[in-house]
Amino acid sequence: RVIAGSDDAESWVEMRDAKDGALVRTWRGGIAIGQVAWSPSGRRIAYAAGDRREAGKESSTLWLADLDTGAVTPIVERIENLSGYQWAPDGASLVYAVTSKAEADKRGVKLRETLLDRQAGWRDKSFLYQVVVSGGATRRLAAGGLATTASGFSPDGRRLLVLREVEDVSGRPYSRKEVWELDLTTLYGKKLRDSFWITDVQYAPDGRRLLILSGPSEFGDLGRNVPAGMTPNE
């Protein structure tokens, strides 16, 4: 809401009963929290809260709140440039993404390395980590020169779908997505598909099929519903 008599805005998080909309709990004032997500098990939620900025760096802590005991404990602290997270199906761990910011050229100039380097933030890369909720043991899941995004866990929590973006000027939109399946036991990765139009992918409940969100041209003419000769809006 906009605070009356000012140009300032206030936001907060509310938990409401799905049956009648009654307010159960609210987080308001003090440290702003965000990215609230229920744990798959128990009456617990995780959320991110910003920490103090130091030397121009912004960090966040992932917290675990137990709604029965009222206890709030940190899962992983002072994550620089946290961009998102998701629970594993068993509630024992989280996968979170960290954005590695490219350093600006101190000379005040920029040499365009590729076509897509014209876009702001193209050189920033997102990498994945997994943290065990009990104890906080953390490991890195992705590295290298390509940005990675976690799409979803398999129902048994043993595999993770990961998207990587690659510049490809052979066709619109001049970058393509690689869909990878990462075995979280061995960390062996298997590429499942190259795509210009996929934006998200999830496992079906049986863990053997995939649900894909994409533009209409992803599978040839199957998804197109425009007259012949027209280009669909992807």
Side-chain angles (χ1 to χ4, degrees):
R1 73 180 183 97
V2 176
I3 300 174
S6 74
D7 294 327
D8 298 329
E10 177 191 16
S11 62
W12 62 93
V13 176
E14 296 179 349
M15 182 187 299
R16 292 185 173 270
D17 192 306
K19 295 180 181 179
D20 57 11
L23 182 65
V24 177
R25 187 168 177 177
T26 184
W27 289 267
R28 191 169 183 170
I31 298 177
I33 75 170
Q35 302 186 48
V36 181
W38 285 99
S39 166
S41 59
R43 286 169 36 86
R44 307 181 301 165
I45 61 171
Y47 63 84
D51 296 320
R52 201 177 292 172
R53 293 191 180 191
E54 296 180 0
K57 296 180 180 179
E58 184 176 354
S59 64
S60 302
T61 292
L62 278 176
W63 296 90
L64 181 67
D66 188 310
L67 303 182
D68 291 323
T69 66
V72 178
T73 54
I75 301 173
V76 59
E77 300 182 74
R78 294 186 174 274
I79 309 169
E80 289 188 11
N81 301 315
L82 172 71
S83 55
Y85 72 93
Q86 56 182 287
W87 283 97
D90 60 3
S93 67
L94 296 166
V95 165
Y96 63 92
V98 171
T99 300
S100 176
K101 299 284 187 179
E103 294 185 7
D105 193 311
K106 297 179 181 179
R107 300 172 299 171
V109 297
K110 181 177 180 180
L111 174 64
R112 307 294 186 188
E113 296 177 347
T114 64
L115 178 67
L116 294 182
D117 198 23
R118 298 174 300 169
Q119 299 179 6
W122 174 253
R123 296 187 185 184
D124 297 342
K125 306 301 179 186
S126 177
F127 300 114
L128 302 174
Y129 295 79
Q130 185 177 26
V131 56
V132 178
V133 174
S134 176
T138 304
R139 62 176 178 170
R140 186 166 178 167
L141 301 179
L146 298 177
T148 52
T149 304
S151 282
F153 284 90
S154 61
D156 60 10
R158 296 178 180 177
R159 294 165 291 158
L160 180 71
L161 291 172
V162 176
L163 298 178
R164 301 202 309 174
E165 188 170 8
V166 184
E167 183 175 52
D168 187 339
V169 296
S170 64
R172 296 182 304 121
Y174 312 113
S175 69
R176 59 179 164 81
K177 294 283 179 56
E178 296 179 346
V179 182
W180 287 78
E181 183 181 63
L182 181 64
D183 187 313
L184 294 174
T185 301
T186 64
L187 293 187
Y188 173 77
K190 178 174 66 175
K191 186 162 72 169
L192 304 180
R193 188 174 179 84
D194 282 299
S195 165
F196 281 105
W197 304 118
I198 285 180
T199 57
D200 198 11
V201 58
Q202 299 286 333
Y203 285 99
D206 61 11
R208 299 178 61 249
R209 296 172 296 159
L210 300 178
L211 176 68
I212 292 175
L213 178 66
S214 71
S217 298
E218 178 60 32
F219 297 99
D221 293 332
L222 287 176
R224 298 191 181 199
N225 59 355
V226 296
M230 294 187 66
T231 301
N233 185 346
E234 306 289 354

